[in-house]
Amino acid sequence: MRIDDLLREYRSVWALDHARSLLEWDLEVNMPVEGAAARGEALARLTLIRREYLLRLKDLVDKYEESKDLNDLERGVIRVLRRELKYYTSIPPEILEELDRTTTKAAVVWREAKKESNFEKFKPYLTKIVELEQTIADRLGYEGHPYNALLDLYEEGFTVNDADSVFNKLLPNLKTILEKIRSEGRFPERHPLEEVPYDVNVMRSINEELLKILEMPVGSRFRMDVSAHPFTISMSVNDVRITTRYEGKDFRATMFSVIHESGHAMYELMIDPSLEMTPVGRGVSMGVHESQSRFWENIIGRSREFVHLIYPLLKERLPFLKDYSEDDVYRYFNIVRPSLIRVDADEVTYNFHIALRYEIEKGLIANKLSVSDLPSLWNDFMDKYLGVRPRNDAEGVLQDIHWSQGSFGYFPTYTLGNVIAGMIYAKLPQLKDKVINRRFNEIREFLRDRICRHGAIYPPKELLMRAFNDTYNPDYLLNYLREKYLGG
Ligand code: MG
């Protein structure tokens, strides 16, 4: 390839990423607690070393950027590296270090503040983080709204205008759908199975069976472990790992986290092997990544057909299901209830939680909202969107970890995941047949061909245009929800 020398140089950056991933995985899965300080220092140092190695690529990137006759892959490599170089060169290292120091402290304070339901305690840290995020947006530069600079970090090319048009379409329609579901009563707002405890060993065995049903390459290219918060991490196209957790009751939670993370893992496992160890051998954006997990979790995992497939297994292993039919389990998997906590939200109400966070982040970054107003603003939004009102800040403005980590611009990608999953649903032929007949291979091949194999070669909007001849169009998601919850 024309850019061989650049790819060779890049291998050192890749090796550092590989090592960091393993250290991060170990930190969540295996590490004794007292190891945290040393691990934090080691990771911080590796991050600095990575920055140095990446900056060394600048001359080669400059050189190839001028070439007119690059192929798609080469152009992708240059684009991805240019974005990374821009991040490192436009933001002074002192600012990144300050953000790092602030968020490290803020994570601890946020946990305490949440426990005490005391927003005032977290407020000075959040104020500082918002200031730093504004500085970062300014340094990165933007057209239009300053929040665009931050959105772009998680979803390349995605802007406030795009987000506004997604939410302006979604929210009123979701509201209508939600009202109809509630008045028809075919899907419950509560279910007795939510409170039933399970045997963790039994659930573990069910999760292992689920991985077999989904045909995950357990032991050869994939593994599953337990951690406090479920996640997926890829060390290589041949080494992708997920975690789940066991809450001890409400057995759908652990199951759906396994299916969700398996969706993320499949994306990484289906990236073309020739992209391994290159800058484009990764998922292209948070939104596209989340579309894979949500497609498998919600559209497949919570479908009537999938329930039919796994009901015998559940019934055989979970003695408390003896009084519950397949239909009962389907309804339990699809409880629809306006609730306070985003991570517990169902697929109908979920996007309201994101819309609220989006409006707040956009306002904070543009200095149109002040941190002091957040608790009451939050509660008013919840009331307006979902008709529920938090009793305290722990179940309101303090519920998510993201702001303490400085992840401004991240939240909207959850909704993009849902929106893109809806597009996949619309374009994948005979999905229901494929699920009920366990032809998951055909589903995977569709996703591999349209999305996964390309890694980050094309920016997300171009990838979506190539795959579906459309970009972030929420109509498909709305149609899917109407068909499932209101149709026939
Ligand atoms: Mg996810």
Side-chain angles (χ1 to χ4, degrees), residues 26-27 30-41:
D26 175 79
L27 174 127
N30 286 322
M31 192 186 70
V33 280
E34 303 270 316
R39 184 60 51 88
E41 178 64 21

Side-chain angles (χ1 to χ4, degrees), residues 191 193 251 304 307-308 311-312 314-315 320-333:
H191 198 286
L193 285 172
F251 74 89
R304 190 66 189 76
V307 173
H308 180 67
Y311 178 72
L314 298 176
K315 178 114 172 162
F320 55 79
L321 283 186
K322 66 178 180 345
D323 299 327
Y324 294 97
S325 69
E326 201 177 300
D327 267 323
D328 291 330
V329 172
Y330 174 64
R331 279 192 291 269
Y332 162 58
F333 284 176

Side-chain angles (χ1 to χ4, degrees), residues 161-329:
N161 284 341
D162 296 327
D164 284 342
S165 77
V166 168
F167 285 116
N168 288 340
K169 181 83 196 227
L170 272 183
L171 297 187
N173 285 290
L174 285 173
K175 212 165 171 100
T176 311
I177 293 171
L178 180 61
E179 277 162 14
K180 279 194 192 151
I181 294 173
R182 300 186 83 189
S183 71
E184 287 182 2
R186 274 194 291 158
F187 290 83
E189 295 197 14
R190 304 197 173 272
H191 198 286
L193 285 172
E194 288 177 88
E195 297 305 324
V196 178
Y198 58 74
D199 180 325
V200 170
N201 287 324
V202 170
M203 260 337 279
R204 187 168 292 148
S205 78
I206 290 174
N207 283 342
E208 281 161 10
E209 289 301 320
L210 279 176
L211 294 179
K212 281 187 203 155
I213 291 171
L214 295 173
E215 298 160 2
M216 301 303 290
V218 180
S220 57
R221 304 171 60 210
F222 171 86
R223 59 177 287 136
M224 175 169 75
D225 294 274
V226 173
S227 69
H229 300 280
F231 66 95
T232 300
I233 197 159
S234 168
M235 324 271 160
S236 150
V237 70
N238 288 312
D239 181 356
V240 181
R241 308 176 187 195
I242 68 167
T243 65
T244 189
R245 64 175 162 198
Y246 296 94
E247 292 91 346
K249 66 167 195 173
D250 199 4
F251 74 89
R252 28 171 217 161
T254 183
M255 268 184 51
F256 284 113
S257 95
V258 168
I259 302 174
H260 181 97
E261 300 305 330
S262 292
H264 280 302
M266 280 186 236
Y267 188 4
E268 297 289 339
L269 288 165
M270 291 196 287
I271 290 174
D272 195 287
S274 68
L275 307 185
E276 174 91 310
M277 304 182 202
T278 77
V280 292
R282 61 174 90 160
V284 67
S285 69
M286 300 306 295
V288 175
H289 229 300
E290 195 67 10
S291 75
Q292 304 301 292
S293 56
R294 284 175 192 246
F295 178 73
W296 284 97
E297 178 195 349
N298 289 335
I299 297 187
I300 293 182
R302 294 179 203 273
S303 70
R304 190 66 189 76
E305 293 74 23
F306 195 75
V307 173
H308 180 67
L309 210 60
I310 62 170
Y311 178 72
L313 165 73
L314 298 176
K315 178 114 172 162
E316 176 206 305
R317 306 231 174 146
L318 297 170
F320 55 79
L321 283 186
K322 66 178 180 345
D323 299 327
Y324 294 97
S325 69
E326 201 177 300
D327 267 323
D328 291 330
V329 172

Side-chain angles (χ1 to χ4, degrees), residues 10-60:
Y10 177 77
R11 287 246 169 143
S12 300
V13 176
W14 172 84
L16 288 164
D17 285 340
H18 184 82
R20 282 198 318 172
S21 297
L22 186 56
L23 292 183
E24 278 166 14
W25 173 82
D26 175 79
L27 174 127
E28 303 288 340
V29 173
N30 286 322
M31 192 186 70
V33 280
E34 303 270 316
R39 184 60 51 88
E41 178 64 21
L43 282 165
R45 294 280 160 164
L46 285 175
T47 304
L48 289 175
I49 297 169
R50 181 190 194 276
R51 177 178 191 276
E52 265 174 48
Y53 274 79
L54 199 108
L55 287 172
R56 287 184 199 168
L57 304 178
K58 186 174 177 303
D59 289 347
L60 283 172

